[in-house]
Amino acid sequence: MSTAALSAAEAQTVTAARRLARARSVFIGVGRPSTAAILARALYNPRLVLVYESGTIGAKPFHIPLSIGDGELAHTSDLIVSVPEMFNYWITPGRIDVGCLGAAQVDRFANLNSTVIGDYARPKTRLPGAGGAPEIAAGCGEVVVIVAHDRRTLVQRLDFVTTVGHGDGAGARERLGFRGAGPTAVITELGVLEPDPQTRELRLTSVHHGVEVGDAVAATGWELRVAEHVEVIEPPSVDELAALRELSSR
Amino acid sequence: MRGGARIRRLFGGRACVLIANMAEIVPLREAVAELVRDGDAVALEGFTHLIPFAAGHELIRQGRSELELIRMTPDILYDQLIGVGACRRLVFSYGGNPGVGSLHRFRDAIENGWPRAIEIEEHSHAGMANRYAAGAAHLPCGLLRGYRGTDLVAHTRVAFIQCPFTGEELAVVPALAPDVTVIHAQEADRDGNVQLWGIPGVQKEAVLAADRVLVTVERIVDRIEPRPGGVLIPGWVIDAVALAPGGSQPSYSLDITERDNDFYMRWDAISRDRDAFTSWIDTHVRGKTAVA
């Protein structure tokens, strides 16, 4: 095992993996969510069903895939379905427990932008677009958002609402007819933001070991509310960190 | 009209025996020349797997222009078609280099209009999947729970209707009906029946939604052995099959070729710079001839 100091990204990934310890199934894209889910399956939840947008259900990758459609995912999955089947039979009906999503921008109600920065017709930065996110966020049992913690990402106002989290607050999802609970956590490299049970506005509920509450508040683009008791997240254990680094080195 | 009848018309000048209810096996260059016209709405589908690169490169070599390009996940191949200016309009749901980042030619066209401005129509994956499925069913629209509450509603073609049975409000999206769908598969037999396996994406729907269909394949076999989970497409819904071994690279054809992840990462630097991109196209696409 590498003896390098724990990085903020590693703390974020392990925190996300722990969140999947009791889930039956998780929908993941590539990058940190994928790494977290593979780690969760290896460490705490060997029966966790990994679902990738490409149609591979129950994939058991040994390597962290570069794309959601790598051959290893197809070779190791329980079943492979077409894209219409993935959305119409599996995601939208709510058969997947947890959907992991990233985004370029997140607002205080955990709505997400992955479409444009700037004006839609004349964007400053054209982002990839919605992909599966709107229906994943509406249909999965709950959503875990994994993003960077800075004022460019956690913003006062989204440039484009690609994906509805909690809309404009309490009752919004019910009015839209969404079945899933929506975002239950935004996991960053500084800590975890969770929606207030009453208002649905995100508040800081925990920070990684060594992070000050003030740092997280300062790195947020709106006036971040802070829970009465902010917990300090248990740092990754020797075993967790070793497993993550070994997985990343494959 | 599909299969043999169409091929007799399209490839009428060729000295060959044609039997109804089969797709003709023709060289890729000829298939592209006959089936794809300037201004067509073309879907070159493939969801990470089985992306028809060889056929797309042949479109570039033949200088097809003013295309409406349709695809759920326009990745490197569409970045190339956009970068050479072949695309007038793009219909899509996710435009990124999977696992790597931006598609720089796609961004340059939308952000700066280089080499030309392109019109876009974007959807969610669920919306695009249901648009193809409706097209395959020859229905006018697809129905789903989706889009609600998002800014997509104001910027794309989606409407909401009330379910006459339950009263629930549901999204409807217009069916997709490409002039031409192009896909890549592992194998075809000599009658042009096709089998693909692994990640099937939305290819079957895209084929059945289209007016004309071209399938490129890794190999021609005497007899197709159906595989569990394999997708079989009969030759009589296909216009032409072209042999293109390695024709999905740098994507892959499961069990035959491997995804060239290294190239997907290298594409980031190649495509970031307009000159480097053009030089790459000149060398690796325009400077080569179609396989087979």
Side-chain angles (χ1 to χ4, degrees), chain A residues 8 12 32 103-104 106 145-155 186-194 202-208 211-222 224-225:
Chain A
Q12 182 184 23
R32 252 168 238 174
V106 181
V145 179
I146 300 175
V147 287
H149 202 138
D150 54 50
R151 299 174 71 96
R152 212 172 56 140
T153 308
L154 303 184
V155 296
V186 175
I187 300 175
T188 75
E189 70 276 37
L190 299 183
V192 178
L193 285 59
E194 294 175 308
L202 292 172
R203 25 172 231 168
L204 184 71
T205 54
S206 55
V207 289
H208 296 299
V211 174
E212 299 294 331
V213 167
D215 297 341
V217 171
T220 304
W222 69 85
L224 178 64
R225 290 177 197 274

Side-chain angles (χ1 to χ4, degrees), chain B residues 32-33 35-44 55-71 77-78 80-91 116-121 178-182 212:
Chain B
V32 167
L35 291 173
V36 187
R37 297 151 202 168
D38 288 347
D40 274 353
V42 185
L44 297 113
H57 287 174
E58 187 57 27
L59 286 175
I60 293 175
R61 275 191 293 273
Q62 295 192 15
R64 282 293 173 283
S65 63
E66 299 296 317
L67 299 174
E68 176 176 82
L69 292 175
I70 303 167
R71 177 136 170 242
L77 178 58
Y78 275 32
Q80 294 167 353
L81 285 156
I82 291 166
V84 301
C87 176
R88 172 184 61 82
R89 187 169 194 274
L90 180 68
V91 180
R116 60 176 293 177
I118 59 170
E119 193 185 323
I120 58 170
E121 178 183 341
D179 293 313
V180 190
T181 285
V182 182
R212 304 187 289 278

Side-chain angles (χ1 to χ4, degrees), chain B residues 127-166:
Chain B
M128 282 292 279
N130 281 292
R131 295 188 68 196
Y132 274 123
H138 289 187
L139 283 167
C141 60
L143 185 68
L144 70 153
R145 283 200 183 96
Y147 292 80
R148 292 193 70 191
T150 74
D151 285 345
L152 278 170
V153 175
H155 294 280
T156 195
R157 292 200 292 158
V158 59
F160 295 90
I161 59 162
Q162 200 176 37
C163 169
F165 305 107
T166 65

Side-chain angles (χ1 to χ4, degrees), chain B:
Chain B
M1 184 165 48
R2 288 283 164 76
R6 176 179 294 283
I7 290 299
R8 242 192 316 276
R9 185 158 57 81
L10 292 172
F11 301 97
R14 286 168 54 84
C16 57
V17 177
L18 288 164
I19 302 165
N21 291 347
M22 57 181 270
E24 197 188 1
I25 296 165
V26 294
L28 178 57
R29 194 170 48 204
E30 192 174 326
V32 167
E34 294 281 358
L35 291 173
V36 187
R37 297 151 202 168
D38 288 347
D40 274 353
V42 185
L44 297 113
E45 267 299 342
F47 205 88
T48 311
H49 177 220
L50 292 173
I51 296 166
F53 271 91
H57 287 174
E58 187 57 27
L59 286 175
I60 293 175
R61 275 191 293 273
Q62 295 192 15
R64 282 293 173 283
S65 63
E66 299 296 317
L67 299 174
E68 176 176 82
L69 292 175
I70 303 167
R71 177 136 170 242
M72 295 189 63
T73 52
D75 72 344
I76 290 180
L77 178 58
Y78 275 32
D79 212 29
Q80 294 167 353
L81 285 156
I82 291 166
V84 301
C87 176
R88 172 184 61 82
R89 187 169 194 274
L90 180 68
V91 180
F92 71 105
S93 43
Y94 184 89
N97 182 350
V100 179
S102 285
L103 288 179
H104 298 291
R105 296 299 95 225
F106 159 84
R107 281 186 56 182
D108 204 10
I110 294 174
E111 294 169 15
N112 308 307
W114 193 92
R116 60 176 293 177
I118 59 170
E119 193 185 323
I120 58 170
E121 178 183 341
E122 66 180 303
H123 288 267
S124 67
H125 277 349
M128 282 292 279
N130 281 292
R131 295 188 68 196
Y132 274 123
H138 289 187
L139 283 167
C141 60
L143 185 68
L144 70 153
R145 283 200 183 96
Y147 292 80
R148 292 193 70 191
T150 74
D151 285 345
L152 278 170
V153 175
H155 294 280
T156 195
R157 292 200 292 158
V158 59
F160 295 90
I161 59 162
Q162 200 176 37
C163 169
F165 305 107
T166 65
E168 183 179 354
E169 191 175 85
L170 297 165
V172 282
V173 283
L176 275 170
D179 293 313
V180 190
T181 285
V182 182
I183 66 164
H184 186 78
Q186 279 96 340
E187 62 191 19
D189 67 17
R190 293 180 200 285
D191 290 340
N193 299 304
V194 164
Q195 176 167 236
L196 61 90
W197 63 88
I199 292 166
V202 73
Q203 281 96 307
K204 184 174 182 174
E205 289 78 8
V207 162
L208 296 176
D211 184 46
R212 304 187 289 278
V213 176
L214 165 62
V215 183
T216 55
V217 292
E218 291 288 330
R219 64 191 180 208
I220 306 283
V221 296
D222 288 328
R223 197 181 128 75
I224 285 177
E225 300 291 343
R227 295 179 171 238
V231 175
L232 289 157
I233 304 176
W236 52 270
V237 298
I238 297 166
D239 293 288
V241 169
L243 182 62
S248 65
Q249 293 289 110
S251 173
Y252 71 107
S253 300
L254 191 70
D255 297 328
I256 297 174
T257 58
E258 296 213 357
R259 191 172 194 271
D260 188 351
N261 281 340
D262 185 52
F263 182 81
Y264 277 85
M265 289 189 272
R266 280 191 288 128
W267 183 252
D268 191 68
I270 296 166
S271 62
R272 203 176 275 272
D273 179 79
R274 291 172 183 172
D275 292 337
F277 164 77
T278 303
S279 150
W280 188 91
I281 290 285
D282 286 343
T283 306
H284 297 277
V285 179
R286 293 202 174 102
K288 295 198 170 167
T289 51
V291 287

